[in-house]
Amino acid sequence: MSRIAARFDKLRKEGRKALIPFFTAGDPDRASCVPLMHALVAGGADVIELGVPFSDPMADGPVIQRSSERALLHGVSLHDVINWVAEFRKTDNETPVVLMGYANPVESMGLEAFAKVAKAAGVDGALVVDYPPEEAETLVGTLDRAGLDTVFLISPTTSDARLKQVAALGRGYLYYVSLKGVTGAANIDIADVSRRLEHIRTYTRLPVGVGFGIRDGKTAHAIAQVADAVVIGSRLVQEIEAAPADAAVKVRAFMADIRTAMDASKKK
Amino acid sequence: MRVYDLPDAKGHFGPYGGVFVSETLISALEDLKAAYARFKDDPTFKAEFAYELKHYVGRPSPIYHARRWSEHFGGAQVYLKREDLNHTGAHKINNVIGQALLARHLGKPRVIAETGAGQHGVAAATIAARYGMECVVYMGSEDVKRQAQNVYRMKLLGATVVPVESGSKTLKDALNEAMRDWVTNVEDTFYIIGTVAGPHPYPMMVRDFQSVIGLEAREQMPEMTGRQPDAVLACVGGGSNAIGIFHPYIEYENVRLIGVEAAGHGLETGKHSATLCAGRSGVLHGNRTYLLQDDNGQIIETHSISAGLDYPGVGPEHAWLKDIGRAEYVAVTDDEALEAFHKLCRLEGIIPALESSHALAYAAKLAPHMRKDQILLVNLSGRGDKDMHTVAEKSGLKF
């Protein structure tokens, strides 16, 4: 069983929901990536979505754009990010790591080469933001053969026909983007998310995570009532941006708050 | 050549094109695709488009025989397709009218656009004024500084110009920002992309609107010269003026199609925008195409004296035409383009845009080696009024 499946399995048995933080590898600096990953786990993270910086992050709002720019100033490449996962694996062989980023760095490395080195480093899956299912068959095939999960996004505007497609191609878990717009946008409508998740679950048995617009323990708690996983990106990256020298301590504390709020919603 | 009918239903030109966007944009693109499919052959829509092109833009644009310039070469006869005479001074308006009409039919009161040099932004602001639409133009903050006059022009026309501070603060970042606006405001907003790039259906749709250039030329050339030209030349940044004149000629196998990119300071210096000559395949701005990128797949900053060619990608159909050998792509330097710029001013009394001057510069290389009865047709895609500052500075002058 993959690390991702094993983790969701374990959580299900415990009646808990997954907490999935996102941050950009190499922000605020190169040395901080692996310590930040460990800090997130210590704070209660179940899966880490590790952002691969890209020069043109078209789907991201200003917070994640800036984090990507900071990482690129340090010359962070996809190779670096994969090497950091290998480093992380030396002391953590259980927490799943999903690389999240854009198509071009992956295509530049070559899909086969990417799958091979990522698997060898202990990466568990990839979410390539600008590979919708229509363009992702080769990626999914390649990652499948390497034993890596391809994670897909679903949005409020995803049609039923495409939900079917996503359900057929998606591996590991699905990521429901709860708002229109870019990452880091404003408020989340819990009732609406709940209705959408119910609908999505008629198409798939994969766990469904919810992200975009989750900013604090209160929203995380509410989302944990209806989703299998809570994804937090921009809000976490803000913590790193606000206190770069102190980032590991800050993100650990921030994660722990969210974790506590989520677990307070544990099913009886 | 076999019938050329690309792109396929999913927007692919061979391995290029496609829809490489986040899930959040998919439904907007599907709606756009459906709308375009509904209207493109609709008689009312076509009549409106034709009316605007004739009465507002001033089409058909004439073809002009550059006799003195041709004599100067002593070789091929050079003809110019005069897109510079269009309202707003360039070919950009053709496409903008098509998309704005579509926006109107879809009931979207707000249009957005990205711009580099400002020509597409000015065209979008113009048509928004004409149709009473709200218009927001995204422009890299570096370009805002370099193109102050066009920024003012857009404001005069009632548009809001938003300086983009992210990334390299140029055209590609303006495009990223416009996409972000669109995904957030898709209900009331139509995104007017200025070139044949972006996700499907944009490369196809923009090409179709710009094809009026080549369709006219295909009629005009035999009327003027008794035959089609031996070669058609156009500058290529994103490639909309080039695809506009190339596309109707693709099945005319005896007509060479030559796209001219910006070699900037020279291809060997790395300071250029010659994507097809020096780039490799990748994914940016919603499509797979040739890109200027580093070894890690990060997009690199480009250079050209002409802001309109200063883009690290290129339309996916050009990538395909290059790979199948139907079109040739070459590059000329800033200096070569400037020389052609000055020659055309002095010999023909026409001030060309610096973008178009790249195509002229390559015609100047070819013509002397050709026979006097051979014909080159150059797409003079825009006029050079906007470039006075740049050219004067290059000559050591300041206004």
Side-chain angles (χ1 to χ4, degrees):
Chain A
M1 194 185 285
S2 75
R3 285 191 199 95
I4 295 175
R7 178 54 57 107
F8 276 103
D9 216 41
K10 176 169 174 269
L11 288 166
R12 199 176 299 118
K13 283 174 188 150
E14 295 169 3
R16 299 165 79 219
K17 301 301 176 70
L19 173 55
I20 309 183
F22 164 95
F23 76 104
T24 304
D27 171 37
D29 53 49
R30 301 174 66 94
S32 65
C33 183
V34 177
L36 278 175
M37 292 170 80
H38 288 303
L40 291 170
V41 175
D46 293 298
V47 178
I48 295 174
E49 283 183 357
L50 192 56
V52 179
F54 182 49
S55 52
D56 293 81
M58 209 168 76
D60 284 297
V63 172
I64 292 174
Q65 284 174 50
R66 288 198 298 269
S67 76
S68 202
E69 283 177 21
R70 287 192 295 269
L72 288 177
L73 276 180
H74 302 305
V76 173
S77 68
L78 179 53
H79 275 290
D80 291 328
V81 180
I82 291 170
N83 288 338
W84 289 331
V85 176
E87 180 75 26
F88 173 75
R89 280 279 169 256
K90 287 180 183 168
T91 48
D92 186 331
N93 200 26
E94 264 149 37
T95 310
V97 177
V98 173
L99 300 188
M100 181 165 180
Y102 291 80
N104 203 52
V106 178
E107 286 208 359
S108 178
M109 182 181 279
L111 296 186
E112 291 286 349
F114 167 73
K116 199 174 146 213
V117 293
K119 179 66 185 179
V123 170
D124 301 287
L127 197 175
V128 182
V129 177
D130 48 353
Y131 267 160
E134 287 83 348
E135 305 285 358
E137 277 181 35
T138 312
L139 176 77
V140 174
T142 310
L143 295 193
D144 273 357
R145 282 193 299 280
L148 293 170
D149 288 332
T150 312
V151 178
F152 283 96
L153 298 172
I154 299 173
S155 90
T157 52
T158 301
S159 67
D160 288 354
R162 299 190 71 267
L163 263 181
K164 214 178 211 168
Q165 235 179 330
V166 174
L169 285 174
R171 310 280 188 267
Y173 62 97
L174 297 172
Y175 182 165
Y176 178 66
V177 166
S178 57
L179 292 170
K180 287 175 199 157
V182 294
T183 53
N187 300 310
I188 186 164
D189 179 343
I190 308 280
D192 183 59
V193 170
S194 172
R195 276 193 300 277
R196 284 296 300 176
L197 289 183
E198 216 167 286
H199 185 69
I200 291 165
R201 287 200 176 102
T202 62
Y203 288 88
T204 182
R205 301 179 67 176
L206 287 175
V208 185
V210 173
F212 279 36
I214 299 167
R215 320 197 55 78
D216 50 25
K218 199 176 150 221
T219 39
H221 173 99
I223 290 297
Q225 308 286 340
V226 293
D228 301 302
V230 172
V231 188
I232 300 195
S234 296
R235 183 62 191 82
L236 180 70
V237 171
Q238 278 177 341
E239 292 287 315
I240 296 170
E241 186 172 47
D246 223 8
V249 177
K250 294 280 181 190
V251 303
R252 180 178 173 166
F254 181 72
M255 275 294 103
D257 281 352
I258 303 280
R259 178 86 261 172
T260 309
M262 280 171 62
D263 288 351
S265 68
K266 190 156 63 164
K267 279 178 191 153
K268 300 281 147 44
Chain B
M1 187 173 183
R2 284 173 295 123
V3 176
Y4 180 89
D5 59 358
L6 295 178
D8 67 17
K10 289 180 171 179
H12 294 121
F13 302 89
Y16 304 110
V19 183
F20 291 89
V21 297
S22 166
E23 184 61 34
T24 47
L25 263 177
I26 293 282
S27 78
L29 288 166
E30 288 192 339
D31 289 350
L32 177 61
K33 204 167 78 179
Y36 182 59
R38 189 163 85 238
F39 286 110
K40 81 184 174 71
D41 299 316
D42 177 75
T44 312
F45 183 84
K46 282 166 77 175
E48 284 172 340
F49 186 50
Y51 180 93
E52 296 292 306
L53 289 182
K54 182 175 178 190
H55 297 280
Y56 193 63
V57 178
R59 303 203 72 91
S61 67
I63 284 183
Y64 169 74
H65 183 187
R67 277 206 180 81
R68 291 192 68 215
W69 201 40
S70 304
E71 271 167 30
H72 169 79
F73 299 132
Q77 300 305 304
V78 182
Y79 287 76
L80 306 176
K81 178 66 171 161
R82 299 291 307 273
E83 292 299 300
D84 62 316
L85 295 178
N86 291 344
H87 179 42
T88 71
H91 72 290
K92 292 287 186 190
I93 191 88
N94 304 325
N95 162 52
V96 165
I97 286 180
Q99 291 195 51
L101 275 173
L102 209 50
R104 229 162 56 141
H105 278 283
L106 295 173
K108 312 249 174 176
R110 178 173 181 268
V111 294
I112 58 172
E114 84 294 338
T115 199
Q119 290 308 101
H120 174 58
V122 166
T126 298
I127 212 68
R130 158 97 179 78
Y131 292 154
M133 292 164 155
E134 185 192 345
C135 179
V136 175
V137 179
Y138 290 93
M139 191 169 184
S141 61
E142 283 298 317
D143 290 332
V144 169
K145 271 184 252 164
R146 290 191 290 199
Q147 307 287 339
Q149 222 178 55
N150 267 344
V151 172
Y152 183 61
R153 202 170 287 168
M154 287 182 264
K155 287 180 180 167
L156 277 179
L157 291 160
T160 306
V161 179
V162 180
V164 176
E165 301 287 350
S166 58
S168 60
K169 306 177 172 52
T170 58
L171 175 59
K172 75 177 180 66
D173 311 286
L175 213 151
N176 292 333
E177 206 54 41
M179 281 282 180
R180 293 179 188 122
D181 178 316
W182 194 37
V183 67
T184 311
N185 300 301
V186 66
E187 265 100 26
D188 72 339
T189 298
F190 190 101
Y191 179 17
I192 302 182
I193 293 188
T195 191
V196 283
H200 181 63
Y202 280 104
M204 172 182 78
M205 185 170 72
V206 176
R207 173 200 74 194
D208 291 351
F209 292 140
Q210 290 293 6
S211 289
V212 64
I213 304 171
L215 290 171
E216 285 174 5
R218 222 170 56 181
E219 299 290 311
Q220 291 165 315
M221 287 308 289
E223 282 168 19
M224 274 188 93
T225 69
R227 65 188 184 88
Q228 298 297 351
D230 295 284
V232 175
L233 293 90
C235 62
V236 178
S240 71
N241 92 82
I243 217 74
I245 197 163
F246 287 179
H247 188 258
Y249 277 111
I250 287 177
E251 291 178 16
Y252 289 58
E253 281 177 319
N254 295 328
V255 179
R256 281 173 72 187
L257 304 176
I258 305 172
V260 187
E261 297 192 305
H265 295 319
L267 292 185
E268 68 289 350
T269 66
K271 289 184 186 305
H272 59 78
S273 310
T275 311
L276 288 163
C277 292
R280 62 190 170 92
S281 173
V283 172
L284 178 70
H285 292 153
N287 65 108
R288 184 180 283 124
T289 186
Y290 279 68
L291 299 174
L292 291 172
Q293 53 182 313
D294 69 13
D295 292 343
N296 296 318
Q298 306 295 344
I299 308 306
I300 56 181
E301 285 182 35
T302 52
H303 168 82
S304 169
I305 189 170
S306 92
L309 302 184
D310 208 348
Y311 178 63
V314 65
E317 191 162 14
H318 285 297
W320 177 240
L321 292 176
K322 175 189 161 80
D323 281 12
I324 61 169
R326 180 57 191 97
E328 308 154 52
Y329 294 89
V330 297
V332 304
T333 63
D334 288 353
D335 289 343
E336 290 168 327
L338 270 171
E339 193 186 327
F341 173 95
H342 287 295
K343 274 275 153 50
L344 202 74
C345 290
R346 293 299 181 90
L347 291 176
E348 299 290 352
I350 294 172
I351 302 178
L354 282 173
E355 289 79 7
S356 324
S357 299
H358 286 72
L360 295 168
Y362 198 73
K365 286 188 181 184
L366 282 183
H369 306 291
M370 295 171 73
R371 292 192 319 270
K372 285 188 172 172
D373 63 341
Q374 289 187 297
I375 295 173
L376 296 178
L377 173 63
V378 180
N379 196 12
L380 190 61
S381 56
R383 69 176 86 125
D385 307 36
K386 69 184 174 57
D387 296 316
M388 292 298 97
H389 261 94
T390 312
V391 176
E393 257 174 48
K394 272 274 170 184
S395 316
L397 300 171
K398 271 232 154 87
F399 291 119

